[in-house]
Structures are given as structure tokens and as C-alpha cells.
Amino acid sequence: MSQIEPGNCKLRLAAQGQAEPCPRELCVFWEPGGAVVPGACVIDRLAIDVRRADLAAYLLEARDRIERARDLTEADAARSEFSRRAGVHF
């Protein structure tokens, strides 16, 4: 079975006019596939019309905020795990 190239992020293109390869699984809007349905962008699956630059910009900003929060959460978890294993507290 061949994989379909994801193309560019529609949000980035509509909001900022910039081509950005779809980050796929790294994006908070990516919905993993299963046995029957392949993984895909939830924006595409819901058929959200992102031709309006303001809507695309809002969704892109939301994606960036969620990703920053996820990164902070993961960093905090790693720091806590290190502290626990090393027996030190920051």
C-alpha cells in the first residue's frame, strides 16, 4: 500500500501565504488512523473552509498555542522524572 503525500498545511497557506509541509502526526490537528481509516488532518475531515484568512489565522494560532502547551507539559514531565530518578529537586 502506498502512502499519500500530505502536501502543505492549508492553515499556514491560507493564513500567511507560506508553504509549510504538513507536519502530520506532529500536528495537534492530526487524527491518527486505524484499521479502516488512514490518518488525516481533522480540518480536512471536518471539511472546514479555511479560505477565509481570519479563520485560518485563528486556527493556526490555536494550533501553535496547543503545541507550546504540549511542549511545556512534556518538558515539565521530563524535568520531574529526572528529579525523581536523580533524587534532586529544582
Side-chain angles (χ1 to χ4, degrees), residues 24-25 27-42 45:
R24 298 178 55 95
E25 292 87 358
C27 179
V28 298
F29 290 134
W30 186 262
E31 187 174 45
V36 178
V37 179
C41 178
V42 74
R45 283 213 173 130

Side-chain angles (χ1 to χ4, degrees), residues 16-58:
Q16 299 173 342
Q18 298 174 346
E20 170 193 347
C22 174
R24 298 178 55 95
E25 292 87 358
L26 299 176
C27 179
V28 298
F29 290 134
W30 186 262
E31 187 174 45
V36 178
V37 179
C41 178
V42 74
I43 302 297
D44 290 339
R45 283 213 173 130
L46 295 175
I48 296 173
D49 184 2
V50 293
R51 290 180 290 183
R52 283 186 37 206
D54 61 334
L55 176 58
Y58 171 78

Side-chain angles (χ1 to χ4, degrees), residues 12 45 67:
R12 181 82 61 198
R45 283 213 173 130
E67 287 174 350

